Amino acid sequence: MCRKFGWRTGCFVGRSAAGKPAGARGLGPGVAGDVLLVAEGVLLMDDVPDASVRVLGPCRIASPLAPLIDDKRTTQHYVDEDDRVLLDDTLSMVTQRDVSLDSLPGFEPAGPRRKIFFDPSKTRVGIVTCGGLCPGLNDVIRGLVLELTSHYGVTRIFGFRNGYQGFIARYAHSVLDLTPDLVSTINENGGTILGTSRGQQDPEEIVDCLERMSITILFVVGGDGSLRGALEIGRVARERGDKIAVVGVPKTIDNDVPYIDQSFGFQTAFSKASESIRAAHVEAMSSPNGIGVVKLMGRHSGFLACYASLANSDADVVLVPEVPFTFEGGGGLLRFLHRRVEERGHAVVVVAEGAGQDLLAREEAGTPQGSDASGNVKLRDVGKLLTRRITDHFTAANMEVNLKYIDPSYVIRSVPANPYDSVYCIRLSHAAVHAAMSGRTEVIVGRWRRRFVHVPITMAISHRSQVDPAGDLWLSVLEATGQPVQFR
């Protein structure tokens, strides 16, 4: 029991007749000897996600980092390993749960443990990067390698090339031996030295590869699809009785992974995107009736468009997937742009790639969309729709219009991380190594309410984080642009 709050941690749980650990929920079949770290309140409340963290077994080995934390207890700046980080952060949210204090839902804190599961001298580690590029990938690889070698004494670290393809024999991708010397300066460059790819691979074959190479820890750096793959790898390893820790470092330039404050690389991405908005503003101001249209990434979530627009407040309109819009009518987008150009002589529109897909579906009905290697339906081009409809509107009104269309997607995601993201990446890397060495598995590391925590992968892929049309971020966008709450 936790000394302060009564959380049950590190306990062996009984097994039910069905073969699951007694009281476990949403984690799949149990494995004899597995440990579930359970906040008792989480299991009692049906409306709360299961924040249980799976552990491979009891931690009996003294951690090399134990001397750094022996005397630490929960403070404003540190969370003890036996404590919890609460899910809720307002009095009203806590009150509405109507449960006792020790039953409030929360996350297991990240960070070094006093005891660890793996013997560092006998541990072999794999690292893989998957999905699209994102600023900070090399920083994460470097942080993982340096923490493993410098503080835990792990000497065998393998980098798998080109995403999950790197585990599959038929692709014949070589394995990279990751050493401190090799990764010492990779953070200065964008992209990933391991390469990446999209698409599913057979988790059975991946675990076969891990077994052949005697790898007991796998770090997966990727987004929603990659984390689903990591969960499957963990499941196969568990069913085979393998003690393999699978730990994710969530990567998404759209910032749409739930239960974490922000994804690494996001700060760099919206900073770079704001430069394109500034360029569109300069172009628009320099021509009669100038209009700049900037399309940014954001398949289902408009965080990048919102933050980039707020960074310099040059946008007159921001369009995101979470807020539908219409072109026509007195309250439509075209009429608002018409008035803005008449009043100011120019306008800038920032649009997330996933916005307006309902309008495109009607206009392009019958045209097949197709899908990418990951199975995602390919989005229709909202940027081209905007440029066409805006041009047609001003032409019909006998008004000159000078429209510039900018799509900086690949420029944004391929740049090196800025200093803020570099710091965030190395702290995430430290947290991921601590989690893995202590036997945590099927888990990601992230920051929640400014605290580093462990989030079960099942929670991290349960839904997408999106801009709340009733939230303070969207309110700030409306205040900065002067656009209406919705174009109706």
Side-chain angles (χ1 to χ4, degrees):
M1 299 288 288
C2 171
R3 291 180 296 275
K4 294 182 181 178
F5 299 104
W7 300 109
R8 183 175 62 199
T9 61
C11 55
F12 282 97
V13 296
R15 298 178 62 80
S16 66
K20 285 185 178 182
R25 179 165 55 80
L27 291 176
V31 176
D34 275 5
V35 178
L36 291 178
L37 300 192
V38 179
E40 293 179 348
V42 172
L43 298 183
L44 296 175
M45 299 178 60
D46 292 336
D47 63 333
V48 177
D50 185 359
S52 308
V53 173
R54 185 172 294 278
V55 182
L56 295 173
C59 296
R60 298 192 177 100
I61 300 170
S63 171
L65 279 76
L68 299 179
I69 59 171
D70 273 343
D71 298 326
K72 285 186 177 291
R73 295 293 179 265
T74 296
T75 68
Q76 183 180 351
H77 307 289
Y78 175 81
V79 183
D80 184 74
E81 62 184 271
D82 289 333
D83 209 334
R84 302 287 287 189
V85 177
L86 294 182
L87 181 68
D88 304 319
D89 69 342
T90 67
L91 179 61
S92 62
M93 292 168 69
V94 170
T95 303
Q96 287 170 15
R97 294 202 180 274
D98 194 25
V99 297
S100 61
L101 179 63
D102 61 356
S103 295
L104 290 171
F107 296 104
E108 181 183 60
R113 267 52 187 169
R114 294 168 179 84
K115 297 283 188 179
I116 57 177
F117 178 78
F118 289 106
D119 180 350
S121 65
K122 301 174 181 62
T123 298
R124 294 162 72 92
V125 174
I127 301 174
V128 63
T129 54
C130 307
L133 294 182
C134 179
L137 283 168
N138 279 333
D139 296 71
V140 171
I141 296 169
R142 179 177 181 269
L144 292 172
V145 172
L146 295 182
E147 181 69 11
L148 285 163
T149 55
S150 299
H151 294 287
Y152 283 97
V154 175
T155 58
R156 300 308 308 272
I157 307 170
F158 302 98
F160 290 88
R161 297 180 186 270
N162 300 321
Y164 285 136
Q165 290 184 6
F167 298 91
I168 310 301
R170 69 177 179 274
Y171 291 105
H173 296 315
S174 60
V175 176
L176 192 61
D177 192 7
L178 295 174
T179 64
D181 286 343
L182 179 67
V183 303
S184 61
T185 60
I186 63 173
N187 57 306
E188 298 173 8
N189 303 313
T192 163
I193 61 165
L194 298 180
T196 185
S197 67
R198 296 184 185 274
Q200 299 178 359
Q201 304 298 334
D202 185 355
E204 299 280 352
E205 290 187 65
I206 294 175
V207 177
D208 286 344
C209 177
L210 296 175
E211 289 177 344
R212 285 194 300 269
M213 297 182 65
S214 300
I215 289 174
T216 52
I217 292 176
L218 175 64
F219 294 104
V220 176
V221 189
D224 178 79
S226 307
L227 294 177
R228 291 180 188 276
L231 190 63
E232 285 298 293
I233 295 168
R235 176 189 62 79
V236 171
R238 179 164 26 96
E239 290 176 351
R240 294 186 185 185
D242 292 335
K243 297 296 187 180
I244 298 176
V246 182
V247 176
V249 182
K251 169 208 65 75
T252 163
I253 208 164
D254 291 350
N255 197 41
D256 59 358
V257 173
Y259 302 111
I260 62 173
D261 290 342
Q262 202 167 88
S263 305
F264 77 81
F266 178 69
Q267 294 247 359
T268 304
F270 81 71
S271 298
K272 191 69 177 177
S274 70
E275 296 176 10
S276 295
I277 298 174
R278 175 56 56 87
H281 184 239
V282 171
E283 288 283 353
M285 290 181 62
S286 302
S287 303
N289 297 340
I291 296 179
V293 176
V294 181
K295 186 179 78 170
L296 300 176
M297 286 169 286
R299 185 179 183 86
H300 301 284
S301 305
F303 290 107
L304 185 62
C306 289
Y307 275 84
S309 299
L310 290 171
N312 51 31
S313 297
D314 286 334
D316 297 277
V317 173
V318 178
L319 304 174
V320 296
E322 297 88 339
V323 183
F325 69 93
T326 59
F327 283 109
E328 307 298 342
L333 171 64
L334 295 174
R335 186 58 195 156
F336 177 83
L337 281 177
H338 190 120
R339 291 195 302 269
R340 187 59 60 96
V341 170
E342 284 184 329
E343 294 166 359
R344 300 185 180 180
H346 62 275
V348 174
V349 179
V350 177
V351 58
E353 60 182 337
Q357 292 299 306
D358 56 327
L359 303 177
L360 283 156
R362 290 198 291 271
E363 292 212 1
E364 301 177 12
T367 303
Q369 286 184 260
S371 58
D372 62 21
S374 298
N376 299 312
V377 175
K378 290 183 178 178
L379 296 175
R380 303 178 192 271
D381 195 337
V382 67
K384 290 182 179 179
L385 174 65
L386 279 171
T387 57
R388 176 169 56 82
R389 292 297 300 270
I390 292 170
T391 301
D392 290 348
H393 172 84
F394 280 88
T395 300
N398 292 317
M399 286 182 65
E400 177 186 5
V401 64
N402 290 282
L403 190 148
K404 300 294 189 301
Y405 176 47
I406 301 174
D407 180 357
S409 299
Y410 293 103
V411 174
I412 291 170
R413 71 182 197 174
S414 61
V415 299
N418 67 15
Y420 179 94
D421 273 324
S422 291
V423 173
Y424 190 30
C425 285
I426 197 167
R427 297 193 70 189
L428 285 172
S429 299
H430 292 170
V433 172
H434 299 322
M437 292 301 296
S438 62
R440 272 68 182 167
T441 187
E442 298 170 45
V443 69
I444 67 166
V445 292
R447 194 163 54 189
W448 179 252
R449 315 299 189 198
R450 308 296 294 178
R451 307 276 199 176
F452 285 90
V453 296
H454 299 151
V455 181
I457 293 179
T458 49
M459 286 184 67
I461 62 174
S462 62
H463 64 279
R464 290 186 179 89
S465 181
Q466 292 186 295
V467 176
D468 182 358
D472 61 348
L473 174 61
W474 187 243
L475 178 60
S476 289
V477 171
L478 298 180
E479 291 177 290
T481 61
Q483 71 188 73
V485 174
Q486 192 170 345
F487 294 107
R488 301 176 184 269

